[in-house]
Amino acid sequence: MTASQLLAAARLLLDRAGVAVGWRAVAVAALARQALETAIDDLWGREAAGTEQASRHTQLLCLPSYADEAIAELAASTWVSLSGACHVRAYDLAPSADELSRWLSDTGTVIAGLALTTESCR
Amino acid sequence: MNSALLGEIEKRLDVTTPGPKVVDCVLTACLVPEDLTSPGRESATKVGSAVSAPTADISPPRVFIESITVEGFRGIGPALTLNLTPGPGLTLVVGRNGSGKSSLSDAFEVLLTGSSARWAAKNKVWQEGWRNLHHPYPTRVEARLAVEGQPGFTTVARRWASGADLGTSAVTVARAGQAPATFDSLGWHEALAAYRPFLSYSELGGLLEVGATKLFDALNAILGLDDLSVATKALADARLEIEHRAKLTASELQRFRQMLEASQDDRAGRLLRLTGRVPDLDGVAAVLTADTGASTEGQVDLLRRLAAIEVPSPREVAAAAEALTSAARAADAAIATDAGRAREVAQLLDEAVAFHQHYGDGDCPVCGRSQGLSAEWRAHADAERALLRAEARVADEAHGRLTAAIANARTCLRPLPVALAAANSVGITAEPALAGWQVWAAGPVNETPDALATHLNSLTSWHHEALSVQAQAAGRLGDIVEAWRPISQAGLLWLERARADRDAAARIKDLKAAEMWLKKAGEAIRAERFAPLAARATEIWKALRQRSSVDIGGITLAGSANARKVKVDVLVDGSEGAALAVMSQGELHALALALFFPRATLAESPFRFVVIDDPVQAMDPAKVEGLARVLEHTAAGHQVVVLTHDDRLPEAVRRLRVAATIVEVDRGPGSQVLITKVLDPVDRHLRDARDVARDKQLPDAVKATVVPTLCRQALEATCVEIVRRRRLVRGDRHQDVEDAIGAANKLSKSFALALFDDVDSGGGVFPKLKEWGWQMADTYQACNKGAHGFYVGDPLALEEETRALVKKLRMVP
């Protein structure tokens, strides 16, 4: 699945559920994170092959060197937020529908941004 | 009134046009409020001078913190110094409960304000336990501050003698190369209250509860509307003064009327009628100011006439009598002399000459002598007559003098005054005088001079009585005038007041209208000015709330006087909720923070720092993340110092890659507190570089691009740090400092600024670094060029070499 398809799937799941409860919220977050990672992997494939093998932390540190800085920053913070939501912790609450919705829209922005950056670089 | 506020009021006056008199009242209240209460007001003349400069011009210079040193205060024993980087940026001070970190923020607040919000509410035991138990020496809190426009550090120190209590301390202000100053001279008192750059945990909870009116006052103060309340109060005072004066006048009238009622005077009754329900001021004035001489009052008039009777004076009468007697005597004597005979002979000759004239010469008809009357005789007779007449003149004169003396004597017989007959009606006994005067005025029965002189000499028997009547009347008249004087004075006093009040009463309506207008305008202006603050608070709330279902609809300063408060409209899942009751403790804290930041970071505040103690305690992790973002945003323009007891905020800051300095506070035995720096923004870039360099999966080509980039960012951050500290401590304008840093858009320029304090000395950078050693120069070159993908060396080595260069750079003064 492409990054956009994964994001669409996450949106669908969130819209169906209406209210994000428990596993459904985790599933939405996981799908979105996968979409984000796919978009980044796509970038590496075109720009710096092999980077996708490195840790995500390293990848996010490298991202500003290959993409628009604002997009790279948004990608990093959204990834951190989505990763947090993927792990259900006893002391933490599940993300709200509002929050999930905002992260999905941020993910969309990052996917579009990364694609645009690559095109303009070419 | 400051001109900005005045401008807004004038604008509103133009739109609503409340009437020229009301406009006049409003403007006077705004420009010269003191004139409203003093009667002689002239608003137009002072307009120019009364407009004060906009508050921005008089605000004290801006301040960053360089270090805070605390000794012997609460948890801190031996001197402990928290070093900070002057300038915008975020510093987290992390320490366990009881590590002494809150003592740091408490001490700093006490240093600047003399007390602490956290302690103000506590009991005596708390307030007495402020001194460190392990530290027997004097207590001291000191801050080194970088003040805009002030070269070198400004050191503010507060010291307590051994055994002194918290409230008894001495503050000193020392400035590089200057005489010691007082804390007051810094001009921070008002700003500390208005912008309050501290927020402790206890305040966080109470900000919206007990402190609701306090918060209202603080927020109201920063809106710069104090002048407005001064103006409104002046209007109210002016109105009250008029009302008060009217009351005084009424009691003055009461007093006047009581005097009138007690008065015997005929005028009193008339005045009582004139001062009824609606006093006739002009009528009263006419009575009070009328010339009392023109009064036709019966009694007073009679007394006046009695007092004015002309009693013959004994001396005058005696003189007249004597003159009469002597004149009579002289006249008698003249008759007995030759003069008398001469006159009679002359009269005889006159008649004989007249006979001769008629009948001509002839015999004498008296003696019969023939031809006695002849021309010859005639000549002789004429000569004889002239001679005789001269002799007779002496007797004539004596006669004339007697006639004059009689006339003079008669004038002493004054006619009886009519008033004397009526004296009884005013209670003065005048019978003896009346009888005496009647006889006197009638004159003697016999008209001879002797009888007249005798009459005159009879004066003594009655004129004493007449004089007594005259004196009694004059006395009575004096009494009446004397009794009226205080009444008349009271009346005139009241009249003056009443006339002033009559003019003032017309103003009350205008004053009331002006007061109402200004109140309404003030509320509108307040709402308008508060709107951006409220908007910023709402924004912060949105960042902080994260997973909360509570949203803020609006924040307003509502009510007035004792009912004033900060009103927060709360929405739960989109529908209106029961205000603050629905919010959790964590949400309340978040809301308090949201209200704290906009106020503490206003552009007008001289304090470019905020010190926040433990904001995360009741927050869930998502909110901590939001807080990290809010802190990052605030730290872009402010020095933000946050003290926190657990790792959640530092963790969020690391995870979200928020530029921050993190220091740890640890407490050893004997209140020995240590501060260790664990991370700063330079450090973060270097750690990132090391993480990238160490990732075995990452292609070398990528490392060769990314590591130099991150190392260059570390160098740039170091340069910014150096330049900021140097220039801020030097007292440069903050905007100039930021502009200079912004202008250094290349690494060579950043280095030029850091090394030579001159952005255009880029050419000197490389030679200077070579002086430090080829390794330093190479590292600089690698970071500068490597970012463009030309680096071929070992990325891990580059990170280490960059670390060394950073260390060397930080030693540049």
Side-chain angles (χ1 to χ4, degrees):
Chain A
M1 282 173 98
T2 65
S4 303
Q5 284 170 328
L6 284 163
L7 181 60
R11 270 205 183 112
L12 197 66
L13 189 56
L14 180 63
D15 290 348
R16 283 248 182 92
V19 185
V21 188
W23 67 269
R24 213 183 282 268
V26 175
V28 170
L31 277 170
R33 188 174 68 159
Q34 209 184 328
L36 189 64
E37 289 177 348
T38 305
I40 294 170
D41 287 351
D42 288 352
L43 177 79
W44 297 139
R46 293 190 300 267
E47 296 291 319
T51 307
E52 71 278 1
Q53 300 298 319
S55 76
R56 281 296 166 193
H57 171 61
T58 311
Q59 286 185 36
L60 292 171
L61 289 178
C62 292
L63 205 52
S65 294
Y66 294 89
D68 178 79
E69 259 184 59
I71 292 293
E73 199 176 301
L74 187 61
S77 66
T78 310
W79 186 85
V80 168
S81 301
L82 289 171
S83 289
C86 286
H87 304 283
V88 180
R89 281 169 291 203
Y91 60 83
D92 202 354
L93 300 164
S96 69
D98 272 3
E99 252 174 322
L100 282 170
S101 172
R102 201 172 70 238
W103 292 337
L104 293 193
S105 114
D106 287 348
T107 305
T109 307
V110 171
I111 292 170
L114 289 181
L116 199 71
T117 311
T118 310
E119 270 164 32
S120 68
C121 283
R122 266 186 214 146
Chain B
M1 174 171 287
N2 63 71
S3 53
L5 187 53
L6 187 65
E8 275 188 72
I9 286 171
E10 279 171 344
K11 213 167 61 197
R12 275 160 207 276
L13 280 174
D14 287 345
V15 177
T16 55
T17 55
K21 279 185 179 168
V22 179
V23 171
D24 184 52
C25 284
V26 169
L27 286 178
T28 309
C30 292
L31 295 169
V32 272
E34 63 277 9
D35 272 19
L36 272 180
T37 39
S38 55
R41 73 207 153 82
E42 280 171 49
S43 56
T45 53
K46 294 185 187 170
V47 169
S49 60
V51 181
S52 63
T55 40
D57 291 357
I58 52 161
S59 60
R62 298 159 168 215
V63 186
F64 282 122
I65 312 169
E66 211 272 336
S67 70
I68 301 169
T69 301
V70 181
E71 183 178 358
F73 187 89
R74 288 194 53 215
I76 299 168
L80 171 75
T81 298
L82 172 65
N83 286 305
L84 298 164
T85 308
L90 172 63
T91 301
L92 299 183
V93 181
V94 188
R96 291 181 183 288
N97 289 331
S99 63
K101 67 174 162 37
S102 290
S103 303
L104 263 175
S105 63
D106 272 358
F108 184 58
E109 188 184 340
V110 169
L111 169 64
L112 293 188
T113 65
S115 102
S116 149
R118 182 170 161 175
W119 289 25
K122 304 283 181 189
N123 61 30
K124 208 165 158 24
V125 178
W126 248 81
Q127 295 196 2
E128 282 172 357
W130 63 279
R131 192 182 290 281
N132 186 270
L133 292 173
H134 298 110
H135 194 71
Y137 311 107
T139 300
R140 167 176 75 108
V141 181
E142 196 174 292
R144 292 219 290 174
L145 307 166
V147 180
E148 199 172 24
Q150 193 60 241
F153 290 114
T154 297
T155 306
V156 180
R158 192 179 282 271
R159 290 185 174 79
W160 289 262
S162 311
D165 54 85
L166 187 63
T168 322
S169 59
V171 198
T172 57
V173 175
R175 288 166 166 169
Q178 286 187 35
T182 61
F183 186 75
D184 288 348
S185 72
L186 296 173
W188 288 350
H189 277 300
E190 277 177 34
L192 278 167
Y195 307 113
R196 195 165 167 73
F198 319 99
L199 185 67
S200 68
Y201 179 72
S202 55
E203 257 181 300
L204 206 52
L207 201 60
L208 291 162
E209 291 154 22
V210 286
T213 55
K214 250 190 190 167
L215 183 64
F216 177 102
D217 293 342
L219 291 172
N220 201 37
I222 57 177
L223 297 179
L225 300 180
D226 284 357
D227 289 348
L228 207 56
S229 38
V230 170
T232 315
K233 190 171 175 301
L235 285 169
D237 284 352
R239 178 174 54 81
L240 289 173
E241 195 187 292
I242 292 173
E243 285 168 358
H244 179 67
R245 271 210 307 265
K247 262 185 207 149
L248 281 182
T249 307
S251 67
E252 194 75 37
L253 177 61
Q254 207 55 37
R255 196 169 77 90
F256 179 47
R257 284 178 61 90
Q258 277 166 5
M259 289 170 89
L260 289 176
E261 274 159 14
S263 169
Q264 305 289 321
D265 202 292
D266 293 345
R267 289 167 286 186
R270 258 200 293 157
L271 285 174
L272 278 171
R273 279 191 302 282
L274 285 169
T275 55
R277 186 169 295 274
V278 184
D280 174 1
L281 299 187
D282 294 336
V284 172
V287 175
L288 284 176
T289 58
D291 175 17
T292 40
S295 166
T296 50
E297 245 57 62
Q299 272 202 352
V300 175
D301 189 56
L302 180 57
L303 285 171
R304 200 178 300 284
R305 284 190 292 143
L306 280 175
I309 55 174
E310 287 182 63
V311 181
S313 132
R315 245 178 58 193
E316 181 198 349
V317 169
E322 202 188 312
L324 179 62
T325 309
S326 72
R329 216 167 277 142
D332 279 353
I335 289 167
T337 60
D338 289 343
R341 186 182 167 276
R343 188 217 293 264
E344 283 180 26
V345 174
Q347 279 172 351
L348 270 176
L349 281 178
D350 285 348
E351 284 176 22
V353 167
F355 182 81
H356 177 247
Q357 200 90 16
H358 281 183
Y359 304 103
D361 295 351
D363 298 336
C364 171
V366 178
C367 66
R369 193 165 65 103
S370 92
Q371 291 302 315
L373 304 181
S374 63
E376 196 182 330
W377 168 84
R378 173 77 181 265
H380 181 77
D382 281 348
E384 188 73 20
R385 271 166 66 204
L387 206 69
L388 286 169
R389 273 195 208 290
E391 276 174 28
R393 191 172 301 125
V394 178
D396 279 350
E397 276 168 9
H399 189 78
R401 270 200 293 275
L402 179 62
T403 313
I406 289 170
N408 180 43
R410 284 211 166 273
T411 61
C412 288
L413 309 180
R414 306 258 158 75
L416 176 71
V418 183
L420 208 55
N424 262 338
S425 70
V426 290
I428 295 173
T429 310
E431 276 82 19
L434 190 63
W437 202 316
Q438 259 167 348
V439 173
W440 172 266
V445 181
N446 195 333
E447 278 286 330
T448 64
D450 280 346
L452 192 56
T454 310
H455 186 75
L456 285 181
N457 285 329
S458 75
L459 172 69
T460 43
S461 60
W462 64 271
H463 98 278
H464 287 298
E465 298 289 342
L467 282 176
S468 152
V469 168
Q470 188 188 35
Q472 279 182 62
R476 288 276 300 282
L477 202 59
D479 286 351
I480 287 172
V481 169
E482 216 43 57
W484 184 248
R485 185 174 295 139
I487 296 175
S488 141
Q489 274 170 352
L492 286 171
L493 200 68
W494 167 78
L495 193 65
E496 197 184 335
R497 279 174 175 284
R499 276 184 167 150
D501 287 359
R502 185 176 55 184
D503 300 339
R507 283 185 72 216
I508 278 201
K509 199 165 58 76
D510 298 330
L511 285 170
K512 267 186 185 162
E515 199 180 328
M516 282 293 294
W517 187 91
L518 204 56
K519 245 182 199 165
K520 270 175 109 176
E523 274 164 24
I525 293 172
R526 190 167 72 187
E528 217 168 78
R529 288 198 176 183
F530 186 62
L533 277 175
R536 175 77 189 120
T538 310
E539 226 172 84
I540 292 174
W541 165 257
K542 286 204 161 79
L544 285 176
R545 77 183 188 116
Q546 299 283 339
R547 292 173 201 179
S548 163
S549 56
V550 177
D551 201 356
I552 293 177
I555 305 169
T556 43
L557 297 179
S560 61
N562 289 334
R564 66 196 190 280
K565 62 173 183 187
V566 178
K567 189 165 165 285
V568 181
D569 296 329
V570 173
L571 301 163
V572 184
D573 286 330
S575 55
E576 270 182 53
L580 304 174
V582 298
M583 299 175 85
S584 72
Q585 192 63 25
E587 283 166 342
L588 283 173
H589 284 188
L591 184 55
L593 274 167
L595 287 169
F596 166 78
F597 279 113
R599 169 185 158 205
T601 59
L602 271 181
E604 294 87 343
S605 170
F607 309 112
R608 307 319 282 171
F609 57 82
V610 287
V611 179
I612 306 168
D613 188 18
D614 243 339
V616 285
Q617 277 189 23
M619 285 188 183
D620 49 49
K623 281 203 185 61
V624 175
E625 213 165 88
L627 177 62
R629 287 292 184 208
V630 169
L631 293 175
E632 181 185 30
H633 185 274
T634 310
H638 284 78
Q639 188 178 27
V640 181
V641 181
V642 179
L643 300 102
T644 181
H645 78 289
D646 64 16
D647 200 41
R648 287 185 297 158
L649 188 58
E651 190 271 332
V653 160
R654 281 196 182 95
R655 187 156 39 90
L656 296 173
R657 304 176 49 71
V658 172
T661 301
I662 301 177
V663 300
E664 280 179 5
V665 181
D666 288 299
R667 188 166 187 261
S671 297
Q672 178 82 43
V673 180
L674 294 172
I675 291 181
T676 329
K677 190 191 259 191
V678 295
L679 185 76
D680 65 32
V682 174
D683 218 25
R684 202 200 70 200
H685 292 301
L686 290 172
R687 284 183 195 199
D688 287 350
R690 190 159 51 191
D691 286 351
V692 171
R694 278 182 177 164
D695 195 320
K696 292 201 170 62
Q697 307 298 322
L698 199 64
D700 288 345
V702 174
K703 284 185 188 175
T705 303
V706 175
V707 173
T709 305
L710 291 169
C711 287
R712 191 188 62 183
Q713 285 172 358
L715 291 177
E716 277 169 352
T718 310
C719 290
V720 167
E721 180 189 304
I722 291 166
V723 172
R724 257 200 199 131
R725 181 189 296 269
R726 179 192 300 140
R727 295 203 167 190
L728 289 173
V729 169
R730 200 163 67 190
D732 283 13
R733 275 189 57 224
H734 291 181
Q735 195 53 50
D736 295 346
V737 177
E738 294 310 311
D739 287 350
I741 289 168
N745 53 1
K746 282 162 63 180
L747 189 62
S748 59
K749 286 184 178 175
S750 295
F751 265 70
L753 211 50
L755 293 174
F756 312 118
D757 202 40
D758 175 16
V759 77
D760 295 324
S761 297
V765 172
F766 197 67
K768 177 76 182 174
L769 292 177
K770 274 205 287 195
E771 278 175 36
W772 287 358
W774 61 267
Q775 186 69 65
M776 298 282 176
D778 273 5
T779 305
Y780 165 76
Q781 206 73 318
C783 291
N784 204 10
K785 301 260 165 66
H788 305 291
F790 302 121
Y791 184 65
V792 289
D794 174 7
L796 207 53
L798 183 62
E799 188 269 332
E800 276 162 21
E801 284 150 13
T802 306
R803 208 169 271 277
L805 181 53
V806 164
K807 206 172 166 191
K808 182 78 181 167
L809 273 173
R810 278 179 167 163
M811 293 193 301
V812 171

